[in-house]
Amino acid sequence: MNRNCRQRCPQASGLESIAPLVSTAEETPHPITTTIKGTIPTWINGSFLRNGPGKFEFGEDRYTHWFDGMAMMHRFHICEGNVTYSSRFLRSDSYVLNSERNRIVVSEFGTLAMPDPCKNIFARFFSRFTIPKATDNAGVNFVKYKGDYYVSTETNYMRRVDPQSLETKEKVDWSQYVAVNAATAHPHYDRDGATYNMGNSYGTSGFFYNIIRVPPPEENAAKEDSEDLNGAQVICSIQASESRKPSYFHSFVMSENYIVFVEQPIKLDLLKFMLYRIAGKSFHKVMTWDPTYETIFHLVNRHTGKKSEVKYCAAPMFTLHQINAFEDSGFLVMDMCCGDDGEVIADYTLENLRRDTGEEMDKFYNSMCRNLPRRYVLPLSVDEETPLDQNLVTLPNYKATAKKTNPGEVYMTHEELHDDELLQYGGLEFPQINYDQYNGRPYRYFYACGFGHVFGDSLLKMDVHTKELKVWRYPGFFPSEPVFVASPRATEEDDGVVLSVIITPREEKSTFLLVLDAKTFTELGRAEVPVNIPYGTHGVFNGMG
């Protein structure tokens, strides 16, 4: 158990270069037809929307980090067994300003905009002392609030977009609606149409992690073509355990009645953050992995906003993406992709991703953390009567443990949600489930990308009851995050299809949308499109009903 995730996965050798997957692409604003091989089920009616970095330089200026690339939106529209493709760059302020000046003038996660060479030396010097405005380059995900689509990153800005034309609409500032400085690109949705998210805020009283609720769209309300986050409120503020070193977070846990915020040992050094601009360092340098801290799970009642007095802890780990969470007989079961080395984010520089085939690429990949699915089981009712130092997880089908170590403190160990077979696929990331029907409820299957390379190089279906895998993997193909779409009269959890965009560095313009039968995990059909699509982040299926 003590060997970390990286040591347990086999070392790779002879990995191919993926430089073409992080190269600037051309946009395709008007839908083009695709070539269908096999069959695309005629019941699929809607658009598969994807987001991710798509432009990596302006003029002579180049971005440093993969996350810095300008957001590019992709739409595969599926109707009557046919598919069209279109794409557009998000016309963010960042994109527009950089384009007008033909250089990078807005700082991103890993790239600092250099002072304007036309300014005199004093103006250049003083520009270093102004905190840069956050970027609105929303390249991480498509999210939905009150029935509208937005693209999102991890700053306080989102952009409303038209999911049909991919046209960029207005810029939306979270801080105009609720007291937060930023919000995640991984909200959760409840069955009434409300959206939950997490943001942070800091002031004289410290640093807080805030749970935000945006109400469902009002019924019969006249729909105006404008942003609407009215009614958004912070339902719970969680104080950071150490206000000068708050934790980085990318997502959070939600079940039918609870939200859990995972405070992990990836720390943001706020003092460094203030100084980084003056020193000319980019943002990803202010995040540090510090395993001297434990992982803390903050439990909040989703309906009342009340935080549990109990401090739930576990060994240091980091998590980017949640799989699912559900309640079972007085316990909260939380499944997530975890690693035990949080240095990973800073490694995704474009220089690393563009390493040559062979030794250089192998060295980079083999140094990286592998993420594996884990299950934590949190006992919901812990009080003075709860005995010390004995496993409170009494349900027979869970191997995770939870022990009360001190009054008001519980220490948890996880169960591995996989067998050794997963290790040969390099662990997994980008998990997805049958979200509409099973999020926050007991479930059996999730879908993910296997990471036998720096980017995902296989598609996996995991049965969490048996830990058996089904796999789609072919050399040279790099699939996107798999998205599940239920068939119209589905009776079982995996009745439907899984969609993924497949790209390859081996051949120009040979991209295709893959449609797998979710049950058997075998190919039903593909829609080939003669364009280059860079490796992306997240996506959604926008069903047309």
Side-chain angles (χ1 to χ4, degrees):
M1 277 294 280
N2 294 337
R3 293 171 67 213
N4 70 28
C5 305
R6 182 193 302 130
Q7 291 162 337
R8 294 168 52 202
C9 290
Q11 295 280 293
S13 78
L15 291 178
E16 67 190 290
S17 166
I18 51 169
L21 309 187
V22 284
S23 302
T24 294
E26 301 279 314
E27 59 183 359
T28 309
H30 305 294
I32 56 173
T33 56
T34 62
T35 307
I36 306 293
K37 301 273 168 77
T39 46
I40 309 289
T42 50
W43 58 259
I44 307 176
N45 182 16
S47 300
F48 185 30
L49 304 171
R50 296 231 352 112
N51 199 347
K55 182 171 172 64
F56 300 96
E57 63 284 307
F58 284 93
E60 297 298 302
D61 291 359
R62 286 172 173 34
Y63 286 115
T64 306
H65 198 281
W66 178 51
F67 295 170
D68 300 340
M70 292 289 101
M72 191 176 200
M73 302 174 285
H74 307 269
R75 175 178 183 253
F76 286 87
H77 184 63
I78 310 167
C79 183
E80 301 292 328
N82 290 310
V83 181
T84 60
Y85 169 79
S86 55
S87 65
R88 278 191 171 188
F89 284 113
L90 178 70
R91 296 314 194 259
S92 59
D93 291 355
S94 303
Y95 179 91
V96 171
L97 283 167
N98 293 337
S99 299
E100 281 170 1
R101 308 222 181 137
N102 199 31
R103 63 187 198 85
I104 295 171
V105 291
V106 180
S107 293
E108 298 291 339
F109 175 73
T111 306
L112 201 66
M114 290 328 276
D116 189 334
C118 304
K119 283 184 181 169
N120 70 37
I121 189 158
F122 289 107
R124 285 211 305 253
F125 177 74
F126 284 112
S127 72
R128 286 207 157 182
F129 290 87
T130 56
I131 292 291
K133 274 178 55 185
T135 179
D136 64 337
N137 174 34
V140 180
N141 208 350
F142 276 88
V143 297
K144 217 171 175 180
Y145 294 97
K146 294 195 173 189
D148 277 338
Y149 275 100
Y150 296 81
V151 283
S152 173
T153 175
E154 303 197 308
T155 67
N156 56 312
Y157 294 120
M158 297 189 294
R159 277 281 179 169
R160 200 164 68 89
V161 292
D162 181 323
Q164 260 66 50
S165 66
L166 300 182
E167 184 194 341
T168 302
K169 306 270 195 172
E170 66 272 34
K171 174 162 131 174
V172 182
D173 181 353
W174 271 108
S175 63
Q176 300 299 305
Y177 290 91
V178 281
V180 296
N181 303 323
T184 82
H186 290 289
H188 274 295
Y189 309 97
D190 72 12
R191 293 190 167 73
D192 303 322
T195 306
Y196 293 79
N197 205 340
M198 288 208 58
N200 48 41
S201 61
Y202 44 93
T204 46
S205 50
F207 191 102
F208 293 88
Y209 312 109
N210 301 314
I211 300 171
I212 309 159
R213 179 183 185 270
V214 179
E218 289 156 40
E219 279 184 39
N220 311 324
K223 188 77 192 102
E224 287 180 25
D225 186 25
S226 64
E227 68 181 84
D228 178 11
L229 295 179
N230 292 316
Q233 60 186 120
V234 170
I235 60 168
C236 180
S237 281
I238 299 161
Q239 185 147 20
S241 333
E242 194 180 337
S243 62
R244 279 207 193 140
K245 287 196 172 173
S247 292
Y248 169 75
F249 58 97
H250 189 77
S251 64
F252 61 98
V253 177
M254 188 169 100
S255 70
E256 299 220 277
N257 296 297
Y258 296 95
I259 282 174
V260 174
F261 171 65
V262 183
E263 195 173 14
Q264 57 189 1
I266 297 184
K267 295 294 182 180
L268 299 174
D269 189 323
L270 291 188
L271 195 62
K272 262 196 200 163
F273 182 65
M274 299 307 175
L275 296 172
Y276 91 107
R277 174 68 175 174
I278 302 164
K281 281 191 175 152
S282 62
F283 182 62
H284 71 290
K285 300 271 196 327
V286 305
M287 284 171 34
T288 48
W289 166 245
D290 188 347
T292 59
Y293 291 90
E294 289 183 313
T295 306
I296 303 169
F297 296 79
H298 299 273
L299 175 70
V300 176
N301 182 307
R302 177 159 82 81
H303 309 295
T304 65
K306 191 170 164 0
K307 182 179 169 320
S308 165
E309 299 293 312
V310 181
K311 182 180 175 185
Y312 296 93
C313 298
M317 62 86 166
F318 89 99
T319 177
L320 292 175
H321 299 116
Q322 308 305 313
I323 302 169
N324 200 2
F326 58 90
E327 295 146 47
D328 183 0
S329 321
F331 295 89
L332 177 59
V333 180
M334 303 177 290
D335 298 346
M336 56 192 82
C337 294
C338 302
D340 31 35
D341 173 5
E343 303 283 2
V344 58
I345 297 177
D347 293 338
Y348 274 81
T349 61
L350 290 163
E351 186 183 11
N352 277 335
L353 295 172
R354 289 171 178 157
R355 289 185 180 202
D356 290 340
T357 297
E359 201 179 334
E360 282 302 295
M361 184 52 90
D362 295 348
K363 206 158 77 186
F364 173 45
Y365 172 78
N366 290 329
S367 74
M368 292 177 78
C369 178
R370 308 280 180 270
N371 291 359
L372 298 167
R374 288 181 181 176
R375 171 167 282 177
Y376 290 90
V377 179
L378 182 152
L380 291 166
S381 45
V382 174
D383 54 26
E384 298 84 66
E385 308 296 305
T386 308
L388 284 169
D389 294 325
Q390 69 181 52
N391 184 14
L392 304 174
V393 184
T394 47
L395 300 174
N397 43 341
Y398 301 117
K399 296 191 181 72
T401 71
K403 287 180 182 172
K404 182 174 156 187
T405 48
N406 287 302
E409 278 192 28
V410 172
Y411 189 84
M412 304 190 295
T413 68
H414 64 270
E415 170 183 348
E416 299 196 331
L417 209 53
H418 62 90
D419 281 340
D420 283 354
E421 186 192 359
L422 175 61
L423 303 177
Q424 74 193 42
Y425 297 104
L428 57 80
E429 254 300 341
F430 293 150
Q432 285 280 342
I433 58 168
N434 176 343
Y435 191 95
D436 293 348
Q437 296 301 317
Y438 288 86
N439 188 57
R441 296 176 172 172
Y443 75 114
R444 182 160 183 177
Y445 302 108
F446 72 85
Y447 311 92
C449 289
F451 274 74
H453 202 308
V454 176
F455 284 152
D457 68 341
S458 62
L459 291 168
L460 307 173
K461 176 187 182 182
M462 174 70 81
D463 180 332
V464 298
H465 291 182
T466 65
K467 300 181 182 174
E468 285 175 295
L469 278 180
K470 285 187 163 67
V471 183
W472 185 94
R473 186 188 203 183
Y474 293 93
F477 285 140
F478 292 81
S480 73
E481 169 191 69
V483 169
F484 175 85
V485 183
S487 63
R489 282 172 289 283
T491 53
E492 288 175 295
E493 184 184 341
D494 57 353
D495 268 358
V497 295
V498 166
L499 305 177
S500 175
V501 178
I502 313 295
I503 56 179
T504 177
R506 297 185 180 187
E507 223 175 310
E508 275 284 291
K509 301 188 172 178
S510 41
T511 297
F512 60 93
L513 171 69
L514 175 69
V515 182
L516 295 177
D517 178 323
K519 218 180 238 330
T520 61
F521 223 54
T522 53
E523 180 172 344
L524 294 169
R526 58 178 69 178
E528 297 175 345
V529 58
V531 295
N532 290 330
I533 296 184
Y535 191 76
T537 43
H538 299 287
V540 293
F541 182 74
N542 178 27
M544 293 304 175

